[in-house]
Structure formats: structure tokens, C-alpha cells
């Protein structure tokens, strides 16, 4: 328990009475957005902010324009992924050339920093030369731009010059042109330039077949926008991101972890050591949650899995590691390391398991009881990487799997406590610690760690796929789903009416979001009474002045 009288930043327990809760407009928007994605409504005209993109007249883009985007979608995605890979390699090779070591904290974030945006406009100084080089009306001109070099320079606190790094990256990518394009008739790289501020622009052209449509007035109109001078067409950012976000995620998930996803939708359960078998459902099959509406392209299921069973599933640990690495900057235990490198003293993942890690509960340490077979699942990795994975697993298990509550063991597939209703909720699960697993077509996308208690559901933590969450806002959605779970469970558990969000810290920007779920209450550290948040906030504001 925090000592709020000695701390400059008091941590106050915050809770929500779900029976009085009314979602805000932005919270309702999160649920509606997910519904559209699951139905596939947004897959053809998805903008960069995850909302439905419309043209200047407020209408969805025409069918012919969508066909243009679909024709080049596959090759464009492959091209961008190749750019990202080569970009990361080029940044890492800068160390050998300049004798400036890339810090490990930055190297771990390269996959997040090295992102390319397909821009809507092409700089005027590059436009004329590009048109001269292309000189073809059946090609779309566009530019993929990244500010990764500027981000690396900023995170190094000036030790690495963004401009020099951008020059090196542009030179290296130019030498790798042949690796980045598919060949004749497909995408073609026209030029790669380092711009001011450390930005790198990759100018390219894509094949395009002219199509014309007729507007409401009967006038013929081009389906692709033109450059500002009215000559060559170019691919807009809107069109480049018109792919099916969920489909792209599912394909990427299979590539990142084929040992769990490669054999089918529910293969992720194979690696889990579930002593009681698979979880039951009302009809023996998976039920979609209400967000999928039962008739969408994709099915979303949410299951409350006892923490010790979830802990034995490889993809749960891997998703946690990905979230911690990209969102909080932790070291990635799954990052491949060479066995011949001397372990660094400041890397906790390289420290051998010691006696503290073997603290026993019963006959064996709890993490050893629940751990999956790392050596078997990741046999393709070297021994040092597997050791780091085991160390990362110990940290994960202590943080989110160990619990003072009694362990819950399902009694086979006919255990009524784990039955799911027609709308996808398992409101009858017993008191205990659970990982609420969110899956789209069997692929894990998010996990909400919760404790089910007699009077409340306590939200302990949530982790999710950061890439997919940029479109679906999974952090907010898991909280909304947990609130709805409490609301439904209170129908047959009269005393279970509160949703606990953990601690509220007024000075911490990562904690203040909890007050967005209204009307909430804060626990007074002096009187141990619950106080309305708005009244408590006035007191906190006065004390901070």
C-alpha cells in the first residue's frame, strides 16, 4: 500500500459504480469503430486515423478507385515492409561507419521508429525530375517518407546527428534498390533523398490503368487525384492505407509466431498445458462477442482464462513482451542475440536465474509449474535467446500470473461456471484471477488481467498488440468490455457493482485517463471513505497549488 502522506504524488484507489455509469461519446465511438472493422465496413476506405475516409462530397470513394488500391495493395505492403527492414539494417550499420554506438534502448525501438508514411504531396523541387524520369501516364507517382533518423538523433540526446544518419541511410537504401522492388512492371524506385531535419524520402512509381467514372452531373472524372500542376497522377496516403487492417494483422501474426498460429485458428491452444481440456461454451463452439454482431467478416471472442492456465500459453507471454517493448521501452527477450557476444552487465535478461527465482510454493516454483516448454517452442533460436525468454517469463509470471487468490480449475468441458451466454459473456466464473483473452479468429490481440472478487471486478493490467491498437484503441475497449462484464454479472451477483481501476495519480499523465469513466470515486487516505471524484479533484487541485 502506498504511503500517501510521505509521497509527493499520492496514489489513490479509484472505482466506478457501473450501475450509474454512462459512456461518453468518445467511448461509444470506440465500440462502434471496432464493430465496423469486424464487419469489414472500413476495409476499403480506411484512413490513417482508423476512421472511415470520405471524399470531398462526404461520399465513400468510388468502386473503381477502390479497385485501383486493391490492385497495388499487396505489392505496396511488401515494398513498405522491405523498406522498414532495410532502414533498420542501415541505421545499425551506421555504428561501424561513424564509430558511434547505437544505444540498446534505441535499438530495441527501431521496429517502432522505422515506419514509412505514403505522403499526399510531392515536394516541388523533386516533382519536375520525377516527371521527366517517369514520362508515362500509366504510372502513379508517390513518395514514402520516414522521420526515423530524426527520432534516433533526438533519443540519443544529440550524440547521433540526424542529418548525417539520414545521408548514410539514403546512400545505403540506394545501393539496395534491387532488394526493395519486385521487378519489371511493378513498383519502381525513382530516387532516395535525405531531406532537412533527418527525414528520408523514397520516391517511387506504381502501375496504373486509367479508369474514368461519371459523376452525378454526367461529367467524366478521373478516379485518382492529380499532382498540383495537373500532369501525372500520384498515389495518395488515403489509398495506400485502404487495406483491410485486421487481415493484415492476421497475416503478420502468422509470420511473427508460426509456432502458435501456423496450424489453424485455434492452434494457439495446443501449446497450453490445460489439465482440464478446452473451455466449454453453450453449444460447444466459439461465440462471438456482441461487437462482431454474428455476421461480420471476423469473429471476436473474449474468454476469462484462469491465470495459471493462460500463463502456460506461449502467445500470451509473447504479446506481453511485444507490448512492453513498444509501449514502455523494455528490453525485448525475444530479440535474437548472438551466443558469442559477452552478456552486458546492465541487461537484467542476461542475468542467470538465481535462488530468488526459485522461491518455492509447494513442491516447485510457481513459474516452473506454469511455464511452457521454451526450448521446444523456440527451438529455432539460440540458447542465449532462450535463456533470456525464460528470464523474461519469470518477470512476466511474477507481475501478472501469481495471485493470493485461490487457483481456479475448470472441471472439464461441462463446467457450467465457464459457460458463455448467447452474447459472449462468461458472467458465472468463480472468484479468482483471470486473463481475459481477446481473440479475432483465434489470434490473440489483447489480454485484460482481472481479479473477480465478491464485491467488485478489479482491473490489474491490460496489454495488447500496439500495431492493431493504433486503429482499434484496444486499451479503451478492454476497459469498456470489463465494465459491461460487471454490469451483466451484477444481475445475479447483487453485491458485485463496482469496477476498480487501480490507482489514480493526479500528476501522472498515464494514470489520469481513469477519471474519464464517470461517475467515479476516490478513496480518502485519511478517513478511508469513498469520495466523489469531482469533489476530491477540487481538494487535490487546491493542495497542489
Amino acid at each position: 500500500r502506498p504511503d500517501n502522506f510521505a509521497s509527493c504524488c499520492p496514489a489513490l484507489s479509484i472505482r466506478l459504480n457501473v450501475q450509474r455509469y454512462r459512456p461518453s461519446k468518445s467511448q461509444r465511438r470506440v465500440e462502434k469503430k471496432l464493430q465496423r472493422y469486424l464487419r469489414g465496413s472500413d476495409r476499403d476506405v480506411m484512413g490513417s486515423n482508423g476512421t472511415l475516409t470520405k471524399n470531398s462530397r462526404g461520399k465513400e470513394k468510388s468502386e473503381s478507385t477502390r479497385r485501383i488500391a486493391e490492385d497495388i495493395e499487396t505489392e505496396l505492403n511488401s515494398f513498405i515492409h522491405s523498406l522498414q527492414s532495410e532502414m533498420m539494417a542501415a541505421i545499425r550499420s551506421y555504428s561501424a561507419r561513424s564509430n558511434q554506438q547505437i544505444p540498446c534502448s534505441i535499438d530495441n525501438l527501431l521496429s517502432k521508429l522505422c515506419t514509412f508514411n505514403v505522403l499526399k504531396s510531392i515536394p516541388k523541387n523533386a516533382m519536375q525530375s520525377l516527371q521527366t524520369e517517369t514520362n508515362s501516364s500509366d504510372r502513379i507517382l508517390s513518395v514514402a517518407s520516414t522521420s526515423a533518423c530524426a527520432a534516433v538523433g533526438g533519443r540519443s540526446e544529440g550524440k547521433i546527428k540526424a542529418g548525417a544518419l539520414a545521408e548514410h541511410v539514403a546512400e545505403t537504401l540506394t545501393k539496395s534498390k534491387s532488394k526493395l522492388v519486385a521487378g519489371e512492371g511493378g513498383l519502381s524506385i525513382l530516387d532516395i533523398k535525405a531531406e532537412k531535419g533527418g527525414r528520408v524520402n523514397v520516391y517511387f512509381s506504381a502501375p496504373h490503368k486509367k479508369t474514368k467514372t461519371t459523376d452525378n452531373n454526367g461529367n467524366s472524372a478521373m478516379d485518382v487525384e492529380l499532382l498540383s500542376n495537373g500532369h501525372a497522377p500520384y498515389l495518395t496516403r488515403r489509398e495506400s492505407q485502404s487495406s483491410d487492417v485486421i487481415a493484415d494483422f492476421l497475416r503478420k501474426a502468422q509470420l511473427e509466431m508460426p509456432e502458435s498460429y501456423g496450424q489453424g485458428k485455434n492452434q494457439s491452444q495446443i501449446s497450453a498445458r490445460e489439465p482440464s481440456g478446452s473451455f466449454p461454451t453453450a453449444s460447444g463452439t466459439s461465440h462471438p462477442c456482441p461487437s462482431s454482431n454474428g455476421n461480420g467478416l471476423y469473429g471476436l471472442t473474449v474468454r476469462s482464462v484462469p491465470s495459471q492456465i493462460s500463463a502456460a500459453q506461449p502467445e500470451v507471454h509473447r504479446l506481453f513482451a511485444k507490448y512492453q517493448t513498444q509501449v514502455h521501452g523494455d528490453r525485448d527477450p525475444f530479440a535474437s542475440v548472438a551466443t558469442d557476444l559477452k552478456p552486458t552487465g546492465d541487461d537484467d535478461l542476461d542475468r542467470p536465474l538465481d535462488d530468488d527465482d526459485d522461491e518455492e510454493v509447494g513442491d516447485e516454483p510457481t513459474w516452473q509449474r506454469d511455464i511452457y516448454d521454451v526450448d521446444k517452442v523456440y527451438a529455432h533460436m539460440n540458447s542465449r535467446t532462450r535463456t533470456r525468454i525464460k528470464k523474461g517469463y519469470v518477470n512476466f509470471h511474477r507481475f501478472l500470473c501469481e495471485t493470493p487468490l485461490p487457483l481456479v480449475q475448470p472441471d472439464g468441458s461441462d463446467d457450467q461456471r465457464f459457460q458463455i451466454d448467447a452474447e459472449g459473456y462468461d458472467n458465472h466464473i468463480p472468484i479468482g484471477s483471470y486473463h481475459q483473452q481477446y481473440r479475432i479468429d483465434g489470434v490473440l490481440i489483447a489480454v485484460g488481467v482481472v481479479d473477480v472478487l465478491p464485491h467488485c471486478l478489479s482491473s490489474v493490467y491490460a496489454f495488447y498488440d500496439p500495431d492493431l491498437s493504433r486503429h482499434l484503441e484496444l486499451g479503451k475497449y478492454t476497459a469498456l468490455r470489463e465494465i459491461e462484464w460487471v454490469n451483466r454479472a451484477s444481475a445475479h451477483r447483487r453485491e458485485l457493482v463496482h469496477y476498480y481501476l487501480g490507482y489514480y495519480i493526479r500528476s501522472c499523465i498515464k494514470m489520469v485517463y481513469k477519471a474519464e469513466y464517470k461517475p467515479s470515486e476516490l478513496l480518502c487516505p485519511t478517513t478511508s471513505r469513498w469520495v466523489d471524484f469531482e469533489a476530491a479533484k477540487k481538494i487535490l487541485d487546491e493542495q497542489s497549488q
Side-chain angles (χ1 to χ4, degrees):
R1 173 178 292 185
D3 187 352
N4 289 316
F5 297 101
S7 173
C8 62
C9 305
L12 306 176
S13 296
I14 183 171
R15 73 178 186 182
L16 170 71
N17 188 323
V18 298
Q19 295 179 344
R20 299 169 55 201
Y21 168 70
R22 295 295 181 270
S24 64
K25 181 182 295 184
S26 63
Q27 290 164 355
R28 291 195 300 269
R29 190 179 300 121
V30 170
E31 295 182 319
K32 292 179 180 179
K33 182 192 300 183
L34 180 61
Q35 292 174 10
R36 291 200 307 268
Y37 273 92
L38 293 173
R39 290 196 303 266
S41 302
D42 284 7
R43 62 176 180 155
D44 290 324
V45 285
M46 188 56 55
S48 60
N49 62 351
T51 59
L52 189 63
T53 300
K54 300 179 183 296
N55 60 19
S56 59
R57 292 175 180 164
K59 299 179 180 180
E60 296 183 8
K61 295 180 69 64
S62 65
E63 181 66 25
S64 54
T65 303
R66 291 198 292 269
R67 286 199 302 268
I68 294 173
E70 290 172 357
D71 288 342
I72 63 174
E73 173 191 335
T74 302
E75 188 173 355
L76 179 61
N77 286 339
S78 176
F79 173 62
I80 296 299
H81 291 159
S82 298
L83 274 179
Q84 292 171 340
S85 300
E86 292 297 324
M87 180 82 177
M88 293 170 61
I91 292 177
R92 289 180 173 130
S93 68
Y94 182 72
S95 299
R97 175 175 175 175
S98 63
N99 295 323
Q100 290 181 312
Q101 186 66 33
I102 303 291
C104 292
S105 59
I106 298 178
D107 188 82
N108 291 335
L109 293 174
L110 282 183
S111 61
K112 181 179 180 180
L113 299 177
C114 295
T115 56
F116 282 82
N117 293 325
V118 180
L119 303 181
K120 184 175 181 180
S121 59
I122 296 177
K124 293 181 179 180
N125 59 354
M127 188 181 302
Q128 184 175 0
S129 61
L130 291 174
Q131 290 176 346
T132 302
E133 187 171 350
T134 304
N135 194 25
S136 175
S137 60
D138 62 349
R139 306 287 294 182
I140 299 176
L141 302 182
S142 193
V143 54
S145 182
T146 179
S147 58
C149 297
V152 170
R155 289 176 179 270
S156 69
E157 298 179 351
K159 296 178 181 178
I160 299 176
K161 301 301 181 182
L165 178 59
E167 292 284 353
H168 169 75
V169 168
E171 179 182 342
T172 304
L173 291 180
T174 301
K175 295 177 180 179
S176 305
K177 277 186 179 181
S178 59
K179 298 180 181 179
L180 298 173
V181 293
E184 296 182 0
L187 295 177
S188 176
I189 295 179
L190 304 177
D191 198 5
I192 301 177
K193 292 183 178 181
E195 309 290 353
K196 292 182 179 180
R199 181 173 289 277
V200 176
N201 288 342
V202 179
Y203 299 94
F204 66 96
S205 66
H208 162 60
K209 294 181 180 180
K210 282 188 177 181
T211 59
K212 293 188 176 182
T213 57
T214 302
D215 60 20
N216 295 333
N217 298 323
N219 299 321
S220 179
M222 290 297 299
D223 282 325
V224 293
E225 301 178 60
L226 300 179
L227 289 173
S228 58
N229 61 1
H231 293 305
Y234 68 92
L235 178 68
T236 66
R237 174 185 177 91
R238 199 166 49 183
E239 290 166 341
S240 70
Q241 295 188 352
S242 63
S243 59
D244 189 329
V245 172
I246 294 181
D248 290 344
F249 166 77
L250 295 178
R251 287 194 294 267
K252 185 177 179 181
Q254 293 174 359
L255 294 175
E256 287 184 345
M257 197 175 180
E259 53 272 6
S260 287
Y261 301 134
Q263 303 298 323
K265 292 183 179 180
N266 295 316
Q267 181 69 11
S268 55
Q269 300 293 337
I270 292 178
S271 300
R273 301 185 335 195
E274 298 182 11
S276 60
S278 60
F279 287 104
T281 63
S283 60
T285 59
S286 294
H287 281 287
C289 79
S291 297
S292 64
N293 290 333
N295 57 359
L297 284 178
Y298 307 100
L300 172 65
T301 57
V302 185
R303 303 303 310 272
S304 299
V305 182
S307 59
Q308 80 279 5
I309 296 178
S310 179
Q313 297 177 345
E315 72 270 37
V316 175
H317 175 213
R318 183 142 188 170
L319 180 63
F320 171 78
K322 180 179 182 180
Y323 173 83
Q324 292 295 120
T325 300
Q326 294 192 21
V327 176
H328 296 293
D330 290 1
R331 298 182 186 276
D332 185 5
F334 291 88
S336 180
V337 293
T339 55
D340 57 348
L341 293 179
K342 183 178 180 180
T344 57
D346 62 341
D347 193 344
D348 182 63
L349 294 175
D350 276 325
R351 181 176 62 82
L353 297 177
D354 54 26
D355 294 338
D356 292 338
D357 296 323
D358 291 330
E359 181 180 354
E360 295 190 359
V361 177
D363 296 331
E364 60 180 344
T366 56
W367 70 267
Q368 287 188 1
R369 176 197 65 207
D370 296 335
I371 193 171
Y372 55 91
D373 192 344
V374 171
D375 293 325
K376 181 178 180 181
V377 174
Y378 302 106
H380 59 285
M381 297 184 175
N382 60 50
S383 59
R384 182 180 167 196
T385 302
R386 293 198 299 270
T387 300
R388 290 164 61 88
I389 293 175
K390 290 179 183 177
K391 179 61 186 176
Y393 179 84
V394 173
N395 297 336
F396 159 71
H397 192 279
R398 286 177 169 175
F399 180 30
L400 296 177
C401 301
E402 293 182 0
T403 173
L405 300 177
L407 298 182
V408 179
Q409 292 289 355
D411 298 330
S413 59
D414 58 347
D415 192 334
Q416 296 297 318
R417 299 175 301 171
F418 289 88
Q419 295 290 337
I420 297 179
D421 62 25
E423 295 183 311
Y425 287 86
D426 47 7
N427 298 321
H428 297 275
I429 56 176
I431 293 173
S433 297
Y434 297 89
H435 288 184
Q436 291 191 332
Q437 298 183 0
Y438 296 72
R439 296 178 182 271
I440 292 181
D441 286 357
V443 177
L444 187 69
I445 64 167
V447 175
V449 183
V450 299
D451 290 335
V452 177
L453 301 171
H455 300 280
C456 70
L457 181 136
S458 176
S459 177
V460 179
Y461 200 67
F463 55 94
Y464 42 81
D465 187 277
D467 299 326
L468 190 61
S469 186
R470 281 196 286 268
H471 300 275
L472 302 185
E473 299 183 79
L474 294 175
K476 294 181 180 179
Y477 180 75
T478 56
L480 295 173
R481 171 81 187 196
E482 289 165 3
I483 292 173
E484 181 61 21
W485 187 95
V486 176
N487 187 46
R488 291 170 179 264
S490 63
H492 53 85
R493 302 184 187 190
R494 299 297 183 183
E495 296 180 346
L496 199 160
V497 295
H498 287 105
Y499 174 63
Y500 281 63
L501 295 92
Y503 289 114
Y504 171 84
I505 302 177
R506 178 183 174 277
S507 58
C508 180
I509 192 172
K510 293 185 178 181
M511 294 289 188
V512 295
Y513 77 91
K514 298 179 180 181
E516 295 176 0
Y517 302 93
K518 302 177 181 181
S520 55
E521 300 173 307
L522 295 179
L523 183 64
C524 176
T526 303
T527 63
S528 296
R529 293 182 178 179
W530 291 97
V531 181
D532 178 74
F533 175 82
E534 296 301 329
K537 184 176 182 297
K538 293 181 181 179
I539 299 176
L540 293 174
D541 291 341
E542 293 174 356
Q543 293 178 347
S544 64
Q545 295 177 354

